[in-house]
Short mmCIF file of all heavy atoms in Angstrom, two decimals:
data_model
loop_
_atom_site.label_atom_id
_atom_site.label_comp_id
_atom_site.label_asym_id
_atom_site.label_seq_id
_atom_site.Cartn_x
_atom_site.Cartn_y
_atom_site.Cartn_z
N LEU A 1 0.80 -1.18 -0.01
CA LEU A 1 0.00 0.03 0.04
C LEU A 1 0.90 1.24 0.02
O LEU A 1 2.03 1.20 0.43
CB LEU A 1 -0.92 0.04 1.18
CG LEU A 1 -2.02 -1.06 1.28
CD1 LEU A 1 -1.52 -2.25 2.03
CD2 LEU A 1 -3.26 -0.49 1.97
N SER A 2 0.30 2.30 -0.44
CA SER A 2 1.00 3.66 -0.34
C SER A 2 0.99 4.20 1.09
O SER A 2 -0.11 4.44 1.65
CB SER A 2 0.34 4.63 -1.29
OG SER A 2 0.74 5.97 -1.04
N ILE A 3 2.17 4.35 1.61
CA ILE A 3 2.24 4.87 3.00
C ILE A 3 1.75 6.34 3.07
O ILE A 3 1.00 6.66 4.00
CB ILE A 3 3.70 4.74 3.53
CG1 ILE A 3 4.05 3.25 3.61
CG2 ILE A 3 3.85 5.42 4.88
CD1 ILE A 3 5.51 3.11 4.00
N ASP A 4 2.05 7.11 2.04
CA ASP A 4 1.59 8.47 2.01
C ASP A 4 0.07 8.56 1.96
O ASP A 4 -0.53 9.42 2.60
CB ASP A 4 2.24 9.22 0.87
CG ASP A 4 1.96 10.76 0.93
OD1 ASP A 4 2.48 11.37 1.95
OD2 ASP A 4 1.27 11.28 0.07
N HIS A 5 -0.50 7.66 1.18
CA HIS A 5 -1.98 7.65 1.07
C HIS A 5 -2.62 7.28 2.41
O HIS A 5 -3.60 7.89 2.84
CB HIS A 5 -2.46 6.70 -0.02
CG HIS A 5 -3.93 6.57 -0.19
ND1 HIS A 5 -4.69 7.67 -0.56
CD2 HIS A 5 -4.79 5.62 0.00
CE1 HIS A 5 -5.96 7.30 -0.64
NE2 HIS A 5 -6.04 6.07 -0.31
N CYS A 6 -1.97 6.31 3.08
CA CYS A 6 -2.48 5.98 4.42
C CYS A 6 -2.40 7.16 5.34
O CYS A 6 -3.28 7.37 6.24
CB CYS A 6 -1.73 4.79 4.97
SG CYS A 6 -2.02 3.23 4.16
N LEU A 7 -1.32 7.87 5.27
CA LEU A 7 -1.12 9.09 6.09
C LEU A 7 -2.22 10.07 5.87
O LEU A 7 -2.79 10.67 6.81
CB LEU A 7 0.28 9.67 5.89
CG LEU A 7 0.52 11.06 6.55
CD1 LEU A 7 0.36 10.96 8.07
CD2 LEU A 7 1.96 11.55 6.14
N GLN A 8 -2.46 10.38 4.64
CA GLN A 8 -3.52 11.38 4.25
C GLN A 8 -4.88 10.92 4.74
O GLN A 8 -5.65 11.76 5.31
CB GLN A 8 -3.49 11.65 2.77
CG GLN A 8 -2.22 12.20 2.18
CD GLN A 8 -1.90 13.59 2.69
OE1 GLN A 8 -2.82 14.31 3.13
NE2 GLN A 8 -0.61 13.98 2.63
N LEU A 9 -5.21 9.64 4.57
CA LEU A 9 -6.44 9.15 5.08
C LEU A 9 -6.56 9.26 6.63
O LEU A 9 -7.60 9.70 7.14
CB LEU A 9 -6.67 7.69 4.66
CG LEU A 9 -7.00 7.40 3.22
CD1 LEU A 9 -7.11 5.90 3.02
CD2 LEU A 9 -8.38 8.05 2.92
N LEU A 10 -5.44 8.90 7.27
CA LEU A 10 -5.45 8.96 8.79
C LEU A 10 -5.66 10.39 9.25
O LEU A 10 -6.39 10.63 10.24
CB LEU A 10 -4.12 8.38 9.30
CG LEU A 10 -3.99 8.43 10.82
CD1 LEU A 10 -5.13 7.62 11.46
CD2 LEU A 10 -2.63 7.83 11.23
N CYS A 11 -5.09 11.31 8.60
CA CYS A 11 -5.28 12.75 8.98
C CYS A 11 -6.74 13.16 8.90
O CYS A 11 -7.24 13.84 9.78
CB CYS A 11 -4.43 13.67 8.14
SG CYS A 11 -2.63 13.60 8.39
N GLU A 12 -7.39 12.67 7.86
CA GLU A 12 -8.87 12.96 7.75
C GLU A 12 -9.61 12.29 8.89
O GLU A 12 -10.55 12.88 9.45
CB GLU A 12 -9.34 12.43 6.42
CG GLU A 12 -8.76 13.18 5.18
CD GLU A 12 -9.21 12.60 3.86
OE1 GLU A 12 -10.20 11.73 3.84
OE2 GLU A 12 -8.61 12.96 2.80
N PHE A 13 -9.38 11.01 9.17
CA PHE A 13 -10.03 10.31 10.24
C PHE A 13 -9.71 10.98 11.62
O PHE A 13 -10.67 11.05 12.46
CB PHE A 13 -9.71 8.88 10.29
CG PHE A 13 -10.29 8.01 9.17
CD1 PHE A 13 -9.52 7.34 8.26
CD2 PHE A 13 -11.69 7.98 9.10
CE1 PHE A 13 -10.11 6.62 7.25
CE2 PHE A 13 -12.28 7.19 8.04
CZ PHE A 13 -11.48 6.54 7.12
N LEU A 14 -8.54 11.40 11.84
CA LEU A 14 -8.25 12.08 13.14
C LEU A 14 -9.08 13.35 13.25
O LEU A 14 -9.57 13.65 14.27
CB LEU A 14 -6.71 12.38 13.16
CG LEU A 14 -5.82 11.20 13.44
CD1 LEU A 14 -4.36 11.55 13.01
CD2 LEU A 14 -5.92 10.81 14.90
N ASP A 15 -9.22 14.10 12.14
CA ASP A 15 -9.98 15.33 12.23
C ASP A 15 -11.43 15.02 12.47
O ASP A 15 -12.11 15.74 13.25
CB ASP A 15 -9.86 16.14 10.92
CG ASP A 15 -8.66 17.05 10.93
OD1 ASP A 15 -7.96 17.15 11.98
OD2 ASP A 15 -8.39 17.70 9.90
N GLN A 16 -11.95 13.95 11.83
CA GLN A 16 -13.36 13.59 12.10
C GLN A 16 -13.58 13.23 13.57
O GLN A 16 -14.62 13.66 14.13
CB GLN A 16 -13.68 12.35 11.21
CG GLN A 16 -13.82 12.70 9.68
CD GLN A 16 -13.95 11.49 8.88
OE1 GLN A 16 -14.34 10.38 9.36
NE2 GLN A 16 -13.76 11.56 7.52
N LYS A 17 -12.67 12.47 14.16
CA LYS A 17 -12.82 12.06 15.53
C LYS A 17 -12.61 13.31 16.45
O LYS A 17 -13.25 13.38 17.56
CB LYS A 17 -11.89 10.88 15.90
CG LYS A 17 -12.31 9.62 15.31
CD LYS A 17 -13.68 9.21 15.81
CE LYS A 17 -14.20 7.95 15.09
NZ LYS A 17 -15.54 7.62 15.49
N LEU A 18 -11.78 14.18 16.12
CA LEU A 18 -11.59 15.38 16.92
C LEU A 18 -12.83 16.25 16.93
O LEU A 18 -13.23 16.73 17.95
CB LEU A 18 -10.38 16.19 16.40
CG LEU A 18 -9.99 17.42 17.18
CD1 LEU A 18 -9.53 17.06 18.63
CD2 LEU A 18 -8.89 18.22 16.50
N LEU A 19 -13.51 16.31 15.84
CA LEU A 19 -14.78 17.00 15.74
C LEU A 19 -15.84 16.31 16.60
O LEU A 19 -16.60 16.93 17.24
CB LEU A 19 -15.27 17.07 14.27
CG LEU A 19 -16.52 17.89 13.98
CD1 LEU A 19 -16.28 19.39 14.37
CD2 LEU A 19 -16.89 17.86 12.51
N GLN A 20 -15.86 14.98 16.51
CA GLN A 20 -16.76 14.20 17.38
C GLN A 20 -16.51 14.48 18.89
O GLN A 20 -17.44 14.59 19.67
CB GLN A 20 -16.68 12.72 17.11
CG GLN A 20 -17.67 11.85 17.79
CD GLN A 20 -17.53 10.37 17.52
OE1 GLN A 20 -16.54 9.96 16.85
NE2 GLN A 20 -18.46 9.61 18.00
N LEU A 21 -15.28 14.59 19.25
CA LEU A 21 -14.90 14.89 20.57
C LEU A 21 -15.49 16.24 21.08
O LEU A 21 -16.00 16.37 22.17
CB LEU A 21 -13.39 14.92 20.79
CG LEU A 21 -12.78 15.43 22.11
CD1 LEU A 21 -13.29 14.56 23.25
CD2 LEU A 21 -11.27 15.47 22.07
N LYS A 22 -15.42 17.21 20.16
CA LYS A 22 -15.93 18.56 20.52
C LYS A 22 -17.43 18.60 20.55
O LYS A 22 -17.97 19.36 21.32
CB LYS A 22 -15.40 19.51 19.50
CG LYS A 22 -13.91 19.73 19.47
CD LYS A 22 -13.36 20.69 18.39
CE LYS A 22 -11.92 21.00 18.49
NZ LYS A 22 -11.48 21.87 17.44
N ASN A 23 -18.14 17.70 19.77
CA ASN A 23 -19.53 17.85 19.60
C ASN A 23 -20.35 16.77 20.29
O ASN A 23 -21.54 16.99 20.66
CB ASN A 23 -19.93 17.86 18.13
CG ASN A 23 -19.35 19.07 17.39
OD1 ASN A 23 -19.13 20.16 18.02
ND2 ASN A 23 -19.11 18.98 16.13
N ASP A 24 -19.78 15.60 20.55
CA ASP A 24 -20.62 14.51 21.01
C ASP A 24 -19.75 13.43 21.80
O ASP A 24 -19.47 12.34 21.24
CB ASP A 24 -21.34 13.86 19.84
CG ASP A 24 -22.39 12.83 20.34
OD1 ASP A 24 -22.60 12.62 21.49
OD2 ASP A 24 -23.14 12.32 19.44
N ILE A 25 -19.37 13.76 23.00
CA ILE A 25 -18.51 12.87 23.77
C ILE A 25 -19.21 11.59 24.00
O ILE A 25 -18.56 10.49 24.07
CB ILE A 25 -18.11 13.60 25.10
CG1 ILE A 25 -17.15 14.71 24.80
CG2 ILE A 25 -17.42 12.54 26.03
CD1 ILE A 25 -16.70 15.51 25.99
N ARG A 26 -20.53 11.59 24.26
CA ARG A 26 -21.25 10.38 24.55
C ARG A 26 -21.07 9.31 23.45
O ARG A 26 -20.79 8.17 23.70
CB ARG A 26 -22.73 10.65 24.81
CG ARG A 26 -23.56 9.40 25.11
CD ARG A 26 -24.98 9.75 25.44
NE ARG A 26 -25.11 10.44 26.69
CZ ARG A 26 -26.26 10.86 27.20
NH1 ARG A 26 -27.40 10.56 26.54
NH2 ARG A 26 -26.28 11.50 28.35
N SER A 27 -21.25 9.75 22.21
CA SER A 27 -21.15 8.81 21.04
C SER A 27 -19.66 8.34 20.94
O SER A 27 -19.40 7.22 20.54
CB SER A 27 -21.65 9.41 19.77
OG SER A 27 -20.76 10.50 19.29
N LEU A 28 -18.69 9.19 21.25
CA LEU A 28 -17.33 8.85 21.20
C LEU A 28 -16.99 7.72 22.22
O LEU A 28 -16.36 6.77 21.87
CB LEU A 28 -16.45 10.03 21.51
CG LEU A 28 -14.93 9.79 21.42
CD1 LEU A 28 -14.48 9.76 19.97
CD2 LEU A 28 -14.14 10.86 22.20
N ASN A 29 -17.57 7.86 23.40
CA ASN A 29 -17.39 6.83 24.48
C ASN A 29 -18.07 5.53 24.01
O ASN A 29 -17.45 4.45 24.26
CB ASN A 29 -18.01 7.32 25.77
CG ASN A 29 -17.22 8.41 26.41
OD1 ASN A 29 -16.01 8.57 26.22
ND2 ASN A 29 -17.90 9.20 27.18
#
């Protein structure tokens, strides 16, 4: 697999989860 592509995807998922943390801790838990 492309390591750089995995990095770019991971950055997107991290931002999504950070937004969830800010908006909906219950669903994160």
Side-chain angles (χ1 to χ4, degrees):
L1 293 93
S2 164
I3 295 173
D4 189 66
H5 181 61
C6 290
L7 170 60
Q8 297 296 337
L9 284 177
L10 179 58
C11 289
E12 294 177 13
F13 284 120
L14 284 162
D15 275 355
Q16 290 173 16
K17 286 300 173 184
L18 186 61
L19 185 63
Q20 184 181 8
L21 171 62
K22 292 178 178 179
N23 295 332
D24 193 355
I25 291 176
R26 178 176 293 182
S27 70
L28 183 78
N29 290 333

